[in-house]
């Protein structure tokens, strides 16, 4: 059998060390991805946000305005810092599950900055085997968003409705420019006492509305600027002119597409802080300390030895300690008479020897019970006290012990 990789312990230490190292790296990478996943994700999941290339997404309009030379940023966190020389148009793309406090937090953080909220319209799904490309959707159906998504403190009372209609192009004018707004079929509109209509729907309501005199706007139907609108050149041009007109009307310097409402934000958490400066230094120190502890444990073979008692507790330990004292004192030969006497007494008592016998008579009585050819007990009893060294003593003592074992059938 080849012993190239085998050891007496039944496993290869290098293999086990490799498995442990891979496990540590995988565990650390897992938690790093959990903490930083929303920030490093491509976001191409078929949703309705600026990272999505699916029909309800806005990657097309983002790419178009970037190619046109506009300042565009994708915000993965709530930005509370403002710059006087740069105020972009904040574009919010909530989902049907977005709640009013989440929208209010973003608007309050950018108080006074122009903001456009694009209401969701489509519920989509990706059917395995029917999706043509990763990140695309296979099917979708329109679903009216809940009006309670818009915080009343900012928008007042708002109603959302889907108006049955055919797709049509309507003329629009905003920020002193004329353009064409391509309204989809079953266009989605909003109504409210505090809303000023900028682009009207076919049967009332507003497709694009301004909240009072604030730089806060609502685009009720996302099909005017989402990737679905890029199915034709005319609709793409209309969507680009629409969003550009809104930015010019609000006197914005660029575009800031928020993706935190879509689950791609870097929220505050202890797990995330562990992998970003300055706390990543502490994390690396803890990892190094764990590796050093693992190395220290690996160099020691087997479990830690527990210190034993200085004086064990048992009869055997007492006998062993007494024997060790006798050996250290070199008095082994002085116990010959006592050993012979103890063996003689034990045999005579167990075999019921006659009473009144002296030591010699008892030895002869024991000799009668021995099998022929073996050493006589009497001869060993006389010879043992005359031993000259420990070797002779041990040999005769063992012979006496064997006689006792044979006669008494014990150990």
């Amino acid at each position: 059998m080849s012993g190239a990789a085998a050891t007496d312990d039944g496993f290869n230490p290098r293999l086990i060390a490799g498995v442990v190292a891979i496990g540590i790296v995988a565990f650390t990478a897992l938690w790093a991805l959990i903490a930083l996943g929303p920030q490093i994700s491509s976001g191409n999941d078929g949703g309705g946000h600026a990272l999505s290339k699916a029909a309800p997404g806005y990657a097309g309009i983002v790419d178009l305005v970037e190619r046109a030379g506009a300042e565009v940023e994708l915000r993965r966190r709530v930005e509370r810092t403002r710059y006087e020389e740069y105020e972009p148009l904040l574009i919010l793309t909530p989902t049907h599950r977005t709640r009013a406090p989440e929208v209010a937090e973003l608007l309050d953080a950018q108080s006074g900055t122009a903001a456009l909220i694009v209401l969701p319209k489509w519920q989509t799904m990706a059917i395995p085997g029917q999706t043509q490309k990763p990140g695309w959707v296979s099917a979708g159906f329109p679903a009216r968003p809940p009006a309670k998504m818009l915080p009343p403190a900012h928008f007042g009372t708002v109603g959302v409705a889907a108006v049955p209609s055919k797709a049509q192009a309507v003329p629009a004018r905003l920020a002193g420019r004329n353009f064409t707004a391509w309204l989809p079929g079953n266009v989605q509109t909003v109504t409210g006492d505090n809303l000023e209509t900028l682009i009207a729907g076919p049967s009332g309501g507003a497709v694009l509305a301004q909240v009072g005199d604030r730089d806060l706007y609502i685009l009720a139907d996302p099909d005017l600027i989402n990737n679905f609108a890029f199915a034709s050149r005319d609709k793409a041009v209309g969507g680009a002119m629409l969003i550009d007109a809104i930015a010019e009307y609000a006197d914005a310097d660029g575009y800031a597409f928020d993706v935190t409402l879509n689950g791609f934000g870097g929220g505050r958490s202890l797990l995330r802080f562990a992998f970003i400066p300055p706390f990543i230094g502490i994390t690396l120190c803890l990892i190094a300390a764990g590796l050093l502890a693992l190395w220290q444990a690996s160099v020691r073979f087997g479990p830690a030895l527990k210190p034993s008692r200085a004086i064990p507790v048992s009869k055997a330990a007492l006998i062993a300690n007494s024997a060790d004292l006798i050996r250290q004192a070199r008095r082994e030969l002085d116990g010959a008479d006592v050993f012979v006497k103890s063996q003689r007494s034990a045999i005579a008592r167990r075999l019921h020897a006659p009473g009144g016998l002296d030591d010699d008579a008892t030895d002869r009585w024991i000799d009668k019970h021995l099998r022929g050819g073996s050493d006589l007990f009497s001869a060993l009893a006389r010879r043992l006290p005359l031993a000259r060294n420990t070797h002779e003593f041990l040999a005769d003592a063992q012979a006496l012990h064997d006689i006792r074992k044979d006669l008494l059938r014990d150990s």
Side-chain angles (χ1 to χ4, degrees):
M1 180 179 66
S2 175
T7 65
D8 294 337
D9 301 321
F11 61 87
N12 190 325
R14 294 183 180 179
L15 177 61
I16 298 301
V19 171
V20 172
I22 293 174
I24 293 174
V25 173
F27 181 80
T28 305
L30 172 64
W31 285 104
L33 289 175
I34 292 175
L36 303 176
Q39 287 187 297
I40 64 178
S41 172
S42 66
N44 191 24
D45 59 353
H49 50 81
L51 297 173
S52 174
K53 297 179 181 179
Y58 303 94
I61 194 69
V62 171
D63 181 68
L64 185 60
V65 294
E66 282 183 334
R67 291 174 182 269
E71 293 288 339
V72 180
E73 61 175 310
L74 301 179
R75 290 190 176 178
R76 295 178 180 262
R77 66 177 184 271
V78 179
E79 185 64 61
R80 302 183 184 276
T81 304
R82 295 184 58 189
Y83 304 95
E84 294 182 358
E85 65 279 4
Y86 175 69
E87 291 187 359
L89 174 66
L90 178 62
I91 301 176
L92 307 181
T93 55
T95 68
H96 288 81
R97 296 183 298 274
T98 302
R99 297 294 178 260
E102 298 172 334
V103 177
E105 180 185 8
L106 291 169
L107 296 178
D108 292 338
Q110 295 291 306
S111 177
T113 301
L116 168 67
I117 181 167
V118 184
L119 297 182
K121 179 179 180 180
W122 296 98
Q123 292 279 20
T124 60
M125 66 185 68
I127 302 175
Q130 298 184 16
T131 304
Q132 298 181 8
K133 293 184 179 181
W136 285 23
V137 295
S138 306
F141 57 90
R144 188 177 59 184
K148 61 182 180 180
M149 154 191 316
L150 303 174
H154 296 81
F155 297 91
T157 302
V158 177
V160 182
V163 180
S165 61
K166 296 182 180 180
Q168 56 183 305
V170 297
R173 179 177 177 82
L174 188 63
R177 64 172 65 180
N178 298 316
F179 59 94
T180 300
W182 294 85
L183 303 184
N186 297 322
V187 64
Q188 193 168 263
T189 61
V190 292
T191 56
D193 297 336
N194 198 30
L195 299 183
E196 179 184 349
T197 301
L198 299 180
I199 298 179
S203 301
V207 176
L208 176 65
Q210 181 179 7
V211 180
D213 57 352
R214 302 171 55 190
D215 283 331
L216 184 57
Y217 308 90
I218 302 176
L219 180 59
D221 199 308
D223 287 346
L224 274 72
I225 63 171
N226 60 15
N227 297 335
F228 186 72
F230 279 64
S232 68
R233 180 182 180 88
D234 292 339
K235 292 182 179 180
V237 172
M241 295 186 65
L242 170 62
I243 196 169
D244 185 57
I246 296 174
E248 185 176 350
Y249 186 78
D251 196 21
D253 301 316
Y255 306 92
F257 289 85
D258 173 81
V259 293
T260 63
L261 295 178
N262 308 96
F264 298 98
R268 293 178 176 269
S269 69
L270 293 177
L271 185 59
R272 176 176 171 270
F273 284 154
F275 295 96
I276 61 174
F279 301 102
I280 190 173
I282 299 176
T283 302
L284 294 176
C285 289
L286 292 176
I287 293 175
L291 293 176
L292 288 175
L294 181 63
W295 173 79
Q296 190 274 339
S298 65
V299 294
R300 183 181 62 199
F301 180 80
L305 297 177
K306 295 182 180 180
S308 59
R309 291 176 56 93
I311 302 177
V313 180
S314 67
K315 293 181 179 180
L318 179 60
I319 295 173
N321 289 336
S322 300
D324 188 58
L325 288 174
I326 295 173
R327 183 183 60 81
Q328 292 184 18
R330 299 181 183 277
R331 302 298 297 272
E332 297 95 334
L333 302 180
D334 294 344
D337 290 333
V338 177
F339 182 74
V340 171
K341 184 178 180 179
S342 66
Q343 298 297 318
R344 179 189 298 118
S345 175
I347 295 173
R349 185 176 63 256
R350 293 279 299 275
L351 296 182
H352 305 288
L357 299 178
D358 58 10
D359 293 343
D360 293 337
T362 303
D363 292 347
R364 290 192 297 270
W365 184 85
I366 294 174
D367 291 342
K368 295 178 182 180
H369 293 77
L370 297 177
R371 291 177 295 181
S374 62
D375 293 333
L376 297 178
F377 184 89
S378 59
L380 293 173
R382 289 191 302 271
R383 193 169 62 199
L384 186 61
L386 302 177
R388 293 170 296 181
N389 52 55
T390 55
H391 296 290
E392 294 180 1
F393 176 83
L394 290 176
D396 293 341
Q398 183 64 46
L400 284 178
H401 180 73
D402 291 341
I403 290 174
R404 172 180 171 172
K405 186 171 63 175
D406 291 339
L407 293 176
L408 304 184
R409 299 294 190 271
D410 60 9
S411 58

